[in-house]
Amino acid sequence: MVAFTSNHLVCTIIICFLLANIASGAMPPNIIIMLMDDMGWGDLGVLGQPSKETPNLDAMAAQGMLLPNFYTANPLCSPSRAALLTGRLPVRNGFYTTNAHARNAYTPQEIVGGISGDEILLPEMLKKRGYVSKIVGKWHLGHRPQHLPLKHGFDEWFGAPNCHFGPYNSTDRPNIPVYNNSEMIGRYYEEFKINRDTAESNLTQIYLREGLDFILRLTQAQKPFFLYWTPDATHGPVYASKNFNGKSQRGRYGDAVMELDYSVGQILALLKSLGIDNNTFVFFTSDNGAALISGPEGGSNGPFLCGKETTFEGGMREPAIAYWPGHIKEGAVNFQLSTVMDLFTTSLAIAGINPPNDRMLDGLDLTPVLLNNSDSLKNRPVYFYRGNELMAVRLGQYKAHYWTWSNSWEQFKTGIDFCPGQEVPGVTTHNQTNHSLQPLIFHLGRDPGEKYPISVLSKEYLDVLKAITPIVQKHQRELIPGVPQLNMCDRAVMNWAPEGCKKLGKCLKPPESNPWKCVWPH
């Protein structure tokens, strides 16, 4: 379990204060987590995007706190989402594969596994204080019935279990279903159109309306709510609605960003108009770095190396804004190292709920940082995993790479490149390269692009290695991996006949079961 420290004493005091407010009849704060899909650190105007097309997010940062050192838990979507909702590294909660070394894995239609029933998700914990929870958008923690959101603490859901890939022909592969709560109400590219030629779709507007309606209903009912708003317009194939299509200086990807920015502004405006903005904690971030491989449909990771799929900074450092008027000081910038797993523990602290004590949590409570602009957690490490391997560790301004790998030579030779135009000799390797005996160490303050490893002969290198080695050894010694959920695939488990398909006349006949070990080339 997490060792008790002075930081935990501060957290305990804050939780006790919140619990006292709840006991006195005050409604606990609402919680909104906005998780974007493949949006990069450099996609926000406040973080340097020169087109300045995110006025609402920039204003949110000006009225809240910007966290420039915020990380995801994995450079790929499904594991990072599992980490957010459990507060645990994917290697602990089972969202990884052991089929090959250091491979990113996720939940395509053919995946057999999904989020384990042994994991405790954030909405399950929030029920203890009467929260009503809704997910709007992409789930991506497994699409079989036992893995869906309403089986894991959410009360409502509007969205899809998988990425919006397609269209498919219903013979080899079905189109992805869209659910309203426990039943599908159509499929992408059918009832829910995405035009691949024009990049036009109304999905973000639908997701916005669902989020606004939920906020309004729960406010009128005087019930605390948790809204997990997870639109996926910035994941390729990117899309935007008619009013935003073709409007950005950045092309199709920029159109999607502009619409998401508009949507964030609409949500914050509703909170203010309802008079609940000072009783609603809002956090904005992304699930992993921008997918540079997507070319014109990819985003920007700012000054950082590489992108999605990699454990370099561009793959795992995310845009992050915390907003809570009257509680978080306006215009604050805090350089605390923090992670998406911290949202689990922080949300519980805000709700006045003690975290589960029967499992190791990797997320820390950020309320001292958010509410007091404290740097009391400054010595915490951040771990960078790719599948079942610890690739790197950050401590303070230093980052040590124990393994490097961008993507394989086989992929690279076919035109797939996770670091286009950013090759750094000896760093962005196309073979899995073990540096465990002499890790590559970078000072991210001087070298955010991870281009210039510190000389192994220098005193600085030896001092950093001496400080970071026992932390890594302790972490690896105490780690108990979860049962891997992303090892097996089977075409029979795809979205052939989701619940509700009979009402719509949209059931498809599945093939016979023929499971195999999933192949993960990345």
Side-chain angles (χ1 to χ4, degrees):
M1 303 304 153
V2 177
F4 187 87
T5 66
S6 59
N7 295 336
H8 290 84
L9 178 59
V10 173
C11 299
T12 300
I13 292 170
I14 291 172
I15 290 174
C16 289
F17 173 76
L18 291 166
L19 286 171
N21 281 346
I22 293 168
S24 67
M27 192 165 74
N30 306 308
I31 298 168
I32 300 177
I33 295 176
M34 301 172 170
L35 186 70
M36 303 301 104
D37 202 337
D38 290 6
M39 184 179 283
W41 191 94
D43 280 330
L44 276 57
V46 71
L47 289 171
Q49 217 299 316
S51 65
K52 302 295 182 184
E53 293 175 345
T54 55
N56 293 292
L57 286 164
D58 298 347
M60 182 182 178
Q63 296 161 17
M65 177 180 285
L66 190 66
L67 294 157
N69 282 323
F70 188 85
Y71 289 91
T72 186
N74 187 270
L76 197 59
C77 37
S78 295
S80 68
R81 291 162 189 263
L84 187 160
L85 290 174
T86 63
R88 287 153 56 81
L89 283 164
V91 74
R92 293 194 208 276
N93 65 36
F95 253 65
Y96 71 106
T97 183
T98 55
N99 286 357
H101 178 253
R103 304 288 170 147
N104 292 321
Y106 68 110
T107 53
Q109 285 201 68
E110 56 267 37
I111 200 73
V112 172
I115 191 68
S116 170
D118 294 331
E119 292 298 316
I120 301 175
L121 274 61
L122 179 56
E124 296 177 90
M125 294 295 296
L126 292 175
K127 283 186 186 296
K128 296 173 184 269
R129 292 295 172 193
Y131 280 77
V132 178
S133 299
K134 178 165 186 167
I135 170 175
V136 176
K138 177 171 145 184
W139 170 239
H140 226 209
L141 299 188
H143 59 274
R144 300 176 73 194
Q146 67 269 32
H147 301 312
L148 294 177
L150 270 59
K151 297 289 187 180
H152 292 274
F154 283 99
D155 301 290
E156 300 181 25
W157 178 31
F158 188 99
N162 308 92
C163 282
H164 58 276
F165 296 138
Y168 300 119
N169 62 14
S170 299
T171 301
D172 300 321
R173 183 174 291 261
N175 281 322
I176 304 299
V178 175
Y179 281 79
N180 184 22
N181 295 325
S182 59
E183 294 188 351
M184 70 172 284
I185 54 173
R187 295 182 188 267
Y188 285 147
Y189 300 97
E190 297 174 22
E191 290 75 18
F192 296 88
K193 304 291 186 182
I194 303 172
N195 190 314
R196 294 292 297 266
D197 294 326
T198 65
E200 185 176 321
S201 175
N202 206 37
L203 279 166
T204 299
Q205 290 301 306
I206 295 172
Y207 291 153
L208 173 59
R209 289 197 298 269
E210 286 290 326
L212 295 175
D213 172 72
F214 178 70
I215 293 169
L216 183 60
R217 281 191 291 110
L218 270 293
T219 302
Q220 291 172 338
Q222 297 186 349
K223 293 182 179 180
F225 62 80
F226 168 45
L227 173 60
Y228 181 45
W229 195 68
T230 65
D232 60 358
T234 42
H235 187 297
V238 299
Y239 59 80
S241 64
K242 185 176 182 179
N243 288 338
F244 293 89
N245 206 283
K247 298 297 192 296
S248 170
Q249 302 172 59
R250 304 178 63 194
R252 290 180 171 183
Y253 180 87
D255 296 342
V257 172
M258 288 181 71
E259 186 166 17
L260 291 170
D261 175 79
Y262 166 82
S263 300
V264 170
Q266 292 295 297
I267 291 172
L268 298 185
L270 179 61
L271 298 178
K272 188 172 183 178
S273 70
L274 293 174
I276 61 170
D277 54 331
N278 64 353
N279 196 46
T280 305
F281 171 70
V282 186
F283 199 96
F284 175 95
T285 189
S286 177
D287 62 351
N288 46 250
L292 303 183
I293 189 175
S294 300
E297 292 199 334
S300 168
N301 295 314
F304 303 121
L305 184 63
C306 301
K308 177 180 178 177
E309 304 270 13
T310 78
T311 50
F312 300 111
E313 289 294 288
M316 292 186 62
R317 202 189 295 207
E318 309 306 326
I321 303 170
Y323 174 89
W324 192 5
H327 300 269
I328 295 174
K329 184 179 178 180
E330 289 190 6
V333 179
N334 195 296
F335 293 94
Q336 168 66 49
L337 298 192
S338 45
T339 81
V340 74
M341 295 172 290
D342 299 337
L343 296 180
F344 177 89
T345 316
T346 303
S347 296
L348 294 182
I350 287 170
I353 302 170
N354 289 315
N357 60 8
D358 64 341
R359 63 201 58 218
M360 174 64 79
L361 296 178
D362 296 288
L364 300 183
D365 176 11
L366 295 180
T367 51
V369 175
L370 302 174
L371 305 183
N372 302 318
N373 209 7
S374 166
D375 63 353
S376 58
L377 307 178
K378 62 184 178 182
N379 292 321
R380 68 93 58 96
V382 172
Y383 301 104
F384 297 72
Y385 271 86
R386 188 163 175 165
N388 57 355
E389 183 60 69
L390 178 64
M391 304 288 284
V393 176
R394 180 175 175 183
L395 183 67
Q397 292 284 17
Y398 294 96
K399 183 176 177 183
H401 288 267
Y402 294 89
W403 287 83
T404 54
W405 187 37
S406 55
N407 63 306
S408 69
W409 281 116
E410 290 78 12
Q411 281 190 322
F412 185 72
K413 290 173 182 177
T414 65
I416 298 174
D417 186 359
F418 295 163
C419 308
Q422 295 185 322
E423 292 288 331
V424 180
V427 177
T428 56
T429 56
H430 290 289
N431 294 315
Q432 294 186 10
T433 306
N434 190 346
H435 305 278
S436 297
L437 296 179
Q438 200 170 69
L440 302 180
I441 298 179
F442 299 89
H443 186 290
L444 295 178
R446 298 193 301 260
D447 179 23
E450 297 170 285
K451 292 180 174 63
Y452 310 106
I454 298 170
S455 170
V456 298
L457 301 177
S458 67
K459 181 179 183 299
E460 181 181 21
Y461 181 95
L462 296 175
D463 288 345
V464 174
L465 189 62
K466 183 178 179 181
I468 208 167
T469 296
I471 292 172
V472 172
Q473 290 175 340
K474 183 175 186 292
H475 171 76
Q476 292 180 323
R477 183 172 63 249
E478 296 179 352
L479 177 70
I480 302 175
V483 177
Q485 300 297 311
L486 307 181
N487 279 352
M488 298 305 298
C489 289
D490 189 343
R491 289 186 63 247
V493 306
M494 293 198 289
N495 292 290
W496 302 104
E499 191 69 32
C501 67
K502 289 183 179 179
K503 294 180 183 178
L504 303 174
K506 298 188 73 69
C507 297
L508 302 170
K509 184 178 179 180
E512 291 187 10
S513 176
N514 184 26
W516 74 91
K517 280 190 174 183
C518 308
V519 176
W520 306 106
H522 37 63

